[in-house]
Amino acid sequence: MPTIVAVDVSLSMAQPVALDSGETFTRLQLAIHGINTLLDYFSMYSKLEFVAVVAFSSTCEVISHFTRDFDQLKLKLNRLEECDKQDIESALQAINTIVLSEWGTATPCQVILITDGDTRYDAINLSQPSATLPFPFPGKMVAVALTSPGTLTPNLRRLVEVSGGDGSVVVPDSQLSPTCVQNLFHKLAEDNYSSFTGTLKCGHLSCKVILSPSPVPYTKTTDFDLETMSLTGLLEICGFVEVAHVGSPAAVSRHLVLPHPTSAATPASHAAVKVEPPESDDDNHDDGRTPSFCVLLHGALKVENMAALCQVGNDWYGVLYSWADSKKKSNLMLTLLEPGTDTVPWLGNFKHLGVPSDPENKNPEETFPVRPPEKRSYSQNCVVWIRQAGLQSDIQKILRHARKLPEKTSHFYKELNRVRRAAISLGFMSLVDGLAAILERECTLLPGTAHPDCALQLTHAAGALRKPYSRDPKYNIMPMRTKYTDGD
């Protein structure tokens, strides 16, 4: 989830904060120290995070667009200086512009607003939505107020509510100091950017994996209730299908699947994940030489061009596949489908794709393979006449088969019935009459070397098209039996 940090550089951020040791810091210096703590967390645990920084006072300045170069961000933050009065409207406008220009309206984005808590919103009427609020993109705002513990910030809380999403206001729990601010931002990072750690399992093979970005709970709306579903810690592979058969189904979210590091330190809020150690347990063992089922699965899916259907929750499934953004580098991706067992219509019910659980006592509902009770409409060759050229092409195809009668008799009547049914379904009855006239004209233009059966079939087809019963879409015009027909 991309993150944009908006830091207040108004004159109020120049207020000194005296410590018991005699040192003095400004609130802006403490804010920069907190942002550096956040960037350190990203560089260690969320290296794929994109971060942008803006500084606002009466105007807003873009310090850095979205980047992963956290060291360069720190250098730019050290050059921040206090300016004039505060204008939150300019910051909100800049946030919307940057996010919409780089990520659009569909990508969730996190907004971190850092101020001193003394916020005045003269330009915004918080009682109703404005041009800048709520945000036109999904996400949430986390406001950090560098103020004394227990200070009430009603305007700031109201701003978070109007922004949309599940935002919050964070205040220090002790007297302001570099250590207090560092703990504050570290807790903010753990609450909002902690990685999802789970177990990828296929039969007897399993390994710990990390999903990036972390999946959020999905709220399913029913007729009379709202059901919130979350991922379990187990991603169990149910089977494998070809990538071409999966296609591009509707998805809730997409995530990068990474092997869990065996030697890297984990955040304080996460317990260390224990992996089966090798015979010689060496803490400095290279992760690149450690066998990983995640790497094995990625290579197999990439080579075989297959996808793995996995269960991530109760009646909730996802698809694992190899995705490449270039010819040299590919990644293992997880696409979370909408909850349910029939979310990919062309695959049918997921529970009917496998073999019976008990081969000896077969359940009639688990017979394999399972054929759908009805023929899918999208599996048939439908007629599309969006442009005039499509209709002309179908008629010319019929005429090409007509000139090669009787060799192409079956093809001629197949195409004739296909176009006739499409015209009847669309209410294009004039096309049926026009097609009959075209066949009659074609009959008069036949060369002398044409087969006698050609004229007979064209006359028969033209007459059948004008019959009232031919307007029934279920009726098929059959070839005329003549003395030239094989077997007669």
Side-chain angles (χ1 to χ4, degrees):
M1 181 184 297
T3 299
I4 181 167
V5 180
V7 56
D8 185 3
V9 292
S10 61
L11 284 175
S12 60
M13 294 293 288
Q15 300 179 50
V17 177
L19 305 181
D20 296 337
S21 60
E23 295 181 282
T24 302
F25 298 92
T26 64
R27 296 179 188 267
L28 180 58
Q29 291 175 336
L30 294 177
I32 295 174
H33 180 67
I35 298 175
N36 289 336
T37 302
L38 187 65
L39 296 178
D40 290 338
Y41 185 94
F42 289 160
S43 62
M44 184 174 296
Y45 302 115
S46 301
K47 296 180 180 180
L48 301 179
E49 193 73 29
F50 283 96
V51 181
V53 179
V54 297
F56 67 94
S57 55
S58 60
T59 59
C60 188
E61 178 186 1
V62 180
I63 305 302
S64 174
H65 287 274
F66 286 99
T67 181
R68 288 174 176 167
D69 191 351
F70 302 139
D71 294 333
Q72 190 66 24
L73 274 179
K74 293 180 180 179
L75 295 177
K76 293 182 179 180
L77 288 172
N78 292 331
R79 294 196 289 264
L80 289 180
E81 295 180 354
E82 297 85 355
C83 298
D84 49 7
K85 68 176 183 178
Q86 180 193 91
D87 183 11
I88 194 69
E89 176 74 11
S90 61
L92 298 177
Q93 291 176 352
I95 290 172
N96 289 337
T97 302
I98 295 174
V99 173
L100 294 180
S101 62
E102 298 200 26
W103 300 100
T105 59
T107 303
C109 186
Q110 185 120 316
V111 179
I112 299 179
L113 177 67
I114 304 174
T115 181
D116 60 342
D118 186 14
T119 50
R120 301 177 179 86
Y121 307 109
D122 299 332
I124 302 178
N125 184 5
L126 296 179
S127 62
Q128 58 184 3
S130 63
T132 55
L133 294 178
F135 291 129
F137 52 86
K140 64 179 180 180
M141 174 190 287
V142 177
V144 180
L146 299 179
T147 182
S148 302
T151 302
L152 298 179
T153 55
N155 285 342
L156 200 57
R157 295 184 184 278
R158 180 57 183 159
L159 177 68
V160 172
E161 294 176 2
V162 177
S163 65
D166 187 17
S168 60
V169 177
V170 181
V171 296
D173 54 359
S174 61
Q175 195 65 28
L176 280 178
S177 65
T179 303
C180 172
V181 173
Q182 180 177 349
N183 295 335
L184 177 69
F185 276 85
H186 193 273
K187 185 177 184 303
L188 183 149
E190 289 182 347
D191 293 341
N192 296 276
Y193 298 96
S194 58
S195 301
F196 177 88
T197 303
T199 302
L200 179 62
K201 182 180 179 182
C202 179
H204 298 290
L205 300 175
S206 64
C207 70
K208 293 289 184 179
V209 294
I210 297 176
L211 299 186
S212 179
S214 298
V216 297
Y218 179 79
T219 302
K220 184 177 181 180
T221 304
T222 58
D223 293 337
F224 303 101
D225 196 8
L226 294 176
E227 183 180 1
T228 301
M229 308 180 68
S230 301
L231 265 69
T232 61
L234 180 63
L235 310 178
E236 186 172 5
I237 296 178
C238 303
F240 301 90
V241 293
E242 295 183 12
V243 173
H245 293 169
V246 177
S248 299
V252 174
S253 58
R254 293 176 175 85
H255 308 271
L256 184 64
V257 183
L258 301 172
H260 193 284
T262 57
S263 57
T266 56
S269 62
H270 289 73
V273 181
K274 185 178 180 180
V275 185
E276 288 188 7
E279 294 181 359
S280 57
D281 188 11
D282 186 7
D283 293 339
N284 296 324
H285 189 68
D286 186 10
D287 285 338
R289 298 182 181 180
T290 304
S292 173
F293 170 63
C294 183
V295 177
L296 173 65
L297 177 65
H298 177 211
L301 295 179
K302 180 180 179 180
V303 172
E304 299 295 335
N305 197 24
M306 300 283 284
L309 182 68
C310 63
Q311 186 172 4
V312 299
N314 186 20
D315 286 341
W316 195 2
Y317 294 85
V319 179
L320 287 164
Y321 57 95
S322 176
W323 180 83
D325 55 355
S326 63
K327 294 183 179 180
K328 296 183 179 180
K329 186 178 181 180
S330 61
N331 301 287
L332 183 62
M333 300 291 294
L334 171 64
T335 295
L336 292 180
L337 306 174
E338 295 182 355
T341 59
D342 198 10
T343 54
V344 184
W346 51 90
L347 291 181
N349 195 320
F350 293 147
K351 295 184 178 180
H352 294 168
L353 295 179
V355 296
S357 56
D358 188 1
E360 297 181 358
N361 300 321
K362 293 184 178 180
N363 187 346
E365 297 181 356
E366 294 182 350
T367 54
F368 181 81
V370 177
R371 288 185 174 274
E374 72 281 349
K375 191 174 183 180
R376 306 291 186 181
S377 61
Y378 41 78
S379 66
Q380 304 177 19
N381 295 326
C382 58
V383 180
V384 180
W385 293 329
I386 298 178
R387 296 181 178 86
Q388 183 179 357
L391 177 58
Q392 292 178 349
S393 176
D394 286 340
I395 295 177
Q396 290 172 357
K397 189 175 182 180
I398 294 176
L399 295 180
R400 285 197 303 270
H401 292 324
R403 297 187 185 102
K404 297 180 181 179
L405 292 172
E407 291 82 4
K408 296 290 185 178
T409 301
S410 60
H411 297 82
F412 170 74
Y413 281 97
K414 178 181 178 181
E415 292 298 322
L416 180 66
N417 286 311
R418 185 176 69 91
V419 174
R420 180 186 61 86
R421 281 194 299 268
I424 295 173
S425 301
L426 298 174
F428 197 179
M429 306 310 300
S430 59
L431 175 62
V432 179
D433 297 332
L435 190 58
I438 291 175
L439 294 180
E440 290 179 343
R441 182 176 179 275
E442 188 70 18
C443 184
T444 61
L445 297 178
L446 289 175
T449 57
H451 196 279
D453 193 39
C454 183
L456 295 176
Q457 296 293 348
L458 290 177
T459 304
H460 164 69
L465 288 174
R466 289 195 170 95
K467 298 295 183 181
Y469 52 78
S470 68
R471 305 303 166 94
D472 184 3
K474 297 181 179 180
Y475 173 76
N476 285 328
I477 301 177
M478 303 302 295
M480 180 182 179
R481 300 186 65 86
T482 64
K483 65 179 181 179
Y484 304 103
T485 306
D486 293 342
D488 290 354

